[in-house]
């Protein structure tokens, strides 16, 4: 079981502490489990959130529908209920099946130059969605938010984190041809700002207070920020990607993979969208990855003992798991052998639920631990190995991300995507981005022009040749070895 060893960080260290009894709180600025009569913080009750927020649980029928439409096995996050809730995800599947356009939208608040494994979860899932659906993705770096919601950070500081955080995001493996990353400080203006104003006009101060808990002491920047986050879910905010005809782009919805605490922003946006006849954003919600200290705790970028960071060495990962990871095991080996461990609170097992791909192996570990056949130290060793592999692979990719790569991802440019290969592709044409689109004879209906189809076919041939050369080179190297 974890102990507090850093006295200086004691006030901030996310260990289960004793508090006055109270309900759980989950919003964009506060996440805490219910506090029981014994003063101990409980794990987040996600079933209550589904009921409270008015979302839908992702059930087996929806997963089967997903597999039928995409031809792909659902991601482990979906299979294991880590991504557990949604708003209108079934409508996105309908659009994909018909070949109608939609896009992905996610983001990060650049609050430090280091990211932990918890930060990578939504991006890992978003990358998988991008690969599965083959659609454009916009990633928002909310440097303005981090300045507005901090009493200490300066604008220069949060802007400085953007480049580093962009490299971390890029290292997940996103395709630059279909991904646009932007900083709010750099991108707000033009069509995006028009949508921010459209949205803000329909949100009253009383609504903002009710949704986000603002009071008379809240600065107006914080109150207004919801309009910026919400407007990013409208395709017309990105004319360089979707074109300038707002009558068409207003009908293109976003699918937003996010943690459940971000839902209030988009409940508000969905309400306004319906009123001004814009496509309502769809959402798919993930659970939180607990801090090393166990259920009821939250990772913090400023507290090293709370998380596995993506810059940690293999030895640091080993030491953190062994020293801080909350255990569901019993006090003695004899008692553990007799009664078994509790995987529902064991951090090592919960981390394996997030990072171990093999369902059968995960189930074998669960059964063995709960029967007492697998000891806590053995379970931690499995978790350590999995995390070391995950972090090392990330670090290798991160080392290859140069400044010029960041510049490419953040450049305003048309994106290239295919969508459902088994459906007639229907997408808007970016003005001036393709030959033949300007005269209105081709592409005016939003479909690919002949020139675009030729370019797409040419690119496929180039990619095929590159793949063949790489294969031949690999075969030669194998023979030489």
């Amino acid at each position: 079981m974890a102990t507090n060893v850093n006295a200086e960080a004691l006030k901030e260290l996310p260990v289960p502490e004793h508090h006055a009894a109270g309900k759980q709180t989950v919003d964009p600025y506060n996440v805490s489990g219910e506090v029981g009569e014994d003063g101990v913080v409980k794990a987040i009750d996600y079933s209550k959130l589904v009921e409270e927020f008015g979302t839908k649980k992702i059930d087996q029928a929806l997963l089967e529908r997903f597999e039928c439409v995409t031809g792909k096995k659902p991601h482990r996050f979906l299979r294991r209920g880590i991504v557990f809730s949604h708003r209108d995800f079934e409508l996105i599947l309908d659009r994909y099946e018909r070949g109608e356009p939609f896009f992905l939208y996610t983001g990060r608040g650049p609050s430090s130059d280091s990211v932990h494994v918890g930060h990578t979860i939504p991006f890992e899932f978003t990358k998988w969605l991008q690969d599965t659906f083959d659609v454009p993705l916009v990633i928002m770096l909310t440097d303005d938010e981090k300045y507005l919601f901090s009493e200490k950070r300066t604008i220069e500081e949060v802007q400085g984190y953007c480049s580093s955080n962009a490299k971390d995001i890029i290292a997940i493996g996103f395709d630059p041809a279909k991904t646009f990353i932007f900083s709010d400080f750099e991108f707000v203006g033009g069509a995006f700002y028009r949508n921010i104003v459209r949205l803000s006009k329909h949100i009253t101060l009383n609504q903002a207070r009710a949704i986000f808990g603002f009071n008379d002491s809240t600065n107006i920047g914080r109150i207004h920020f919801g309009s910026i986050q919400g407007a990013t879910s409208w395709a017309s905010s990105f004319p360089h990607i979707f074109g300038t005809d707002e009558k068409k782009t207003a009908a293109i919805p976003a699918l937003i993979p996010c943690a459940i605490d971000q839902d209030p922003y988009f409940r508000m946006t969905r309400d306004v969208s319906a009123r001004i006849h814009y496509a309502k954003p769809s959402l798919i919600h993930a659970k939180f990855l607990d801090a090393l200290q166990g259920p009821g705790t939250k990772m913090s970028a400023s507290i090293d003992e709370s998380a596995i960071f993506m810059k940690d060495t293999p030895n640091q990962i080993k030491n953190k798991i062994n020293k801080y990871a909350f255990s569901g095991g019993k006090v003695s080996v004899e008692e553990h052998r007799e009664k078994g461990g509790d995987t529902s609170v064991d951090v090592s097992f919960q981390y394996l639920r997030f990072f171990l791909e093999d369902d059968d192996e995960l189930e074998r570990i669960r059964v063995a631990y709960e029967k007492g056949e697998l000891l806590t130290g053995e379970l931690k060793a499995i978790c350590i190995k999995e995390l070391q592999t995950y972090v090392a692979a990330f670090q290798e990719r991160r080392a290859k991300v140069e400044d010029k790569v960041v510049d490419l991802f953040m450049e305003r440019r048309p994106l290239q995507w295919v969508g459902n290969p088994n459906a007639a592709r229907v997408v808007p044409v970016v003005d001036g981005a393709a030959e033949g689109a300007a005269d209105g004879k081709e592409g005016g209906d939003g479909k690919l022009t002949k020139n675009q189809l030729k370019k797409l076919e040419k690119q496929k041939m180039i990619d095929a040749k590159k793949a063949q050369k790489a294969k031949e080179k690999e075969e030669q190297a194998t023979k030489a070895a």
Side-chain angles (χ1 to χ4, degrees), residues 28 33 135 141 233 282 304 315 326 329 375 413 454 466:
V135 292
L141 296 175
S233 68
S282 298
D304 192 63
N315 197 50
F326 187 88
L375 298 176
R413 67 206 187 283
K454 287 179 181 178
K466 286 182 179 179

Side-chain angles (χ1 to χ4, degrees), residues 42-325:
K42 300 178 182 179
I44 299 295
D45 186 333
Y46 291 99
S47 294
K48 281 186 179 180
L49 286 181
V50 169
E51 183 178 348
E52 179 185 343
F53 286 4
T55 65
K56 296 178 183 177
K57 284 188 176 180
I58 295 176
D59 56 18
Q60 188 58 36
L62 186 58
L63 295 182
E64 290 173 359
R65 167 77 173 143
F66 173 88
E67 189 163 2
C68 178
V69 170
T70 65
K72 293 190 177 183
K73 181 181 179 180
H75 192 278
R76 64 181 182 276
F77 292 171
L78 290 166
R79 302 195 304 268
R80 297 170 188 171
I82 293 169
V83 173
F84 71 103
S85 166
H86 75 102
R87 293 185 186 275
D88 292 343
F89 186 46
E90 73 278 7
L91 300 184
I92 293 296
L93 294 179
D94 292 343
R95 292 186 71 88
Y96 180 76
E97 189 173 41
R98 296 192 297 261
E100 296 175 352
F102 64 94
F103 69 104
L104 294 167
Y105 156 37
T106 193
R108 164 156 170 73
S111 57
S112 70
D113 58 3
S114 59
V115 295
H116 53 60
V117 290
H119 290 136
T120 68
I121 297 302
F123 292 109
E124 286 280 355
F125 186 60
T126 300
K127 179 192 180 302
W128 181 82
L129 289 173
Q130 184 185 59
D131 292 343
T132 298
F133 290 125
D134 196 354
V135 292
L137 161 68
V138 297
I139 299 176
M140 179 189 207
L141 296 175
T142 57
D143 40 13
D144 52 346
E145 176 201 21
K146 289 304 176 183
Y147 171 69
L148 290 168
F149 284 82
S150 171
E151 298 300 327
K152 297 180 180 179
R153 294 190 181 101
T154 64
I155 287 180
E156 292 74 21
E157 180 183 356
V158 294
Q159 282 187 303
Y161 294 142
C162 275
S163 178
S164 176
N165 284 188
K167 289 180 179 179
D168 294 327
I169 292 168
I170 292 167
I172 297 296
F174 292 108
D175 185 345
K178 62 188 74 161
T179 306
F180 174 54
I181 301 176
F182 67 94
S183 144
D184 283 351
F185 277 137
E186 299 301 323
F187 186 66
V188 170
F192 187 26
Y193 185 64
R194 287 197 296 273
N195 277 340
I196 292 170
V197 173
R198 282 190 181 104
L199 185 54
S200 62
K201 183 177 180 179
H202 292 83
I203 304 167
T204 68
L205 178 58
N206 284 339
Q207 287 174 321
R209 282 175 167 169
I211 296 169
F212 301 109
F214 297 140
N215 55 43
D216 291 344
S217 298
T218 304
N219 70 59
I220 59 175
R222 294 184 183 185
I223 296 169
H224 182 253
F225 176 74
S227 302
I228 302 173
Q229 181 130 328
T232 311
S233 68
W234 290 343
S236 56
S237 295
F238 307 97
H240 64 282
I241 300 173
F242 301 106
T244 57
D245 187 344
E246 292 191 358
K247 291 182 180 178
K248 291 181 179 179
T249 57
I252 301 174
L255 172 60
I256 307 170
C258 61
I260 187 68
D261 62 327
Q262 297 299 300
D263 186 77
Y265 282 122
F266 303 108
R267 292 203 305 270
M268 174 189 73
T269 305
R270 283 166 59 86
D271 176 67
V272 176
S273 298
R275 291 161 63 188
I276 66 174
H277 307 293
Y278 271 44
K280 293 193 292 185
S282 298
L283 292 95
I284 188 163
H285 305 112
K287 296 179 179 179
F288 305 108
L289 182 64
D290 289 327
L292 290 170
Q293 286 68 33
T297 64
K298 185 180 178 183
M299 294 183 182
S300 172
S302 61
I303 305 172
D304 192 63
E305 296 92 342
S306 72
I308 302 299
F309 285 83
M310 303 309 290
K311 60 179 176 56
D312 284 348
T313 65
N315 197 50
Q316 285 176 317
I317 294 171
K318 178 182 177 180
N319 290 337
K320 283 184 178 182
I321 294 296
N322 283 332
K323 191 171 186 178
Y324 300 111

Side-chain angles (χ1 to χ4, degrees), residues 16-53:
E17 299 174 352
H18 288 266
H19 302 275
K23 295 181 179 180
Q24 69 179 12
T25 301
V26 176
D27 60 44
Y29 321 114
N30 303 282
V31 176
S32 62
E34 179 182 350
V35 180
E37 293 296 332
D38 57 0
V40 176
V41 180
K42 300 178 182 179
I44 299 295
D45 186 333
Y46 291 99
S47 294
K48 281 186 179 180
L49 286 181
V50 169
E51 183 178 348
E52 179 185 343
F53 286 4

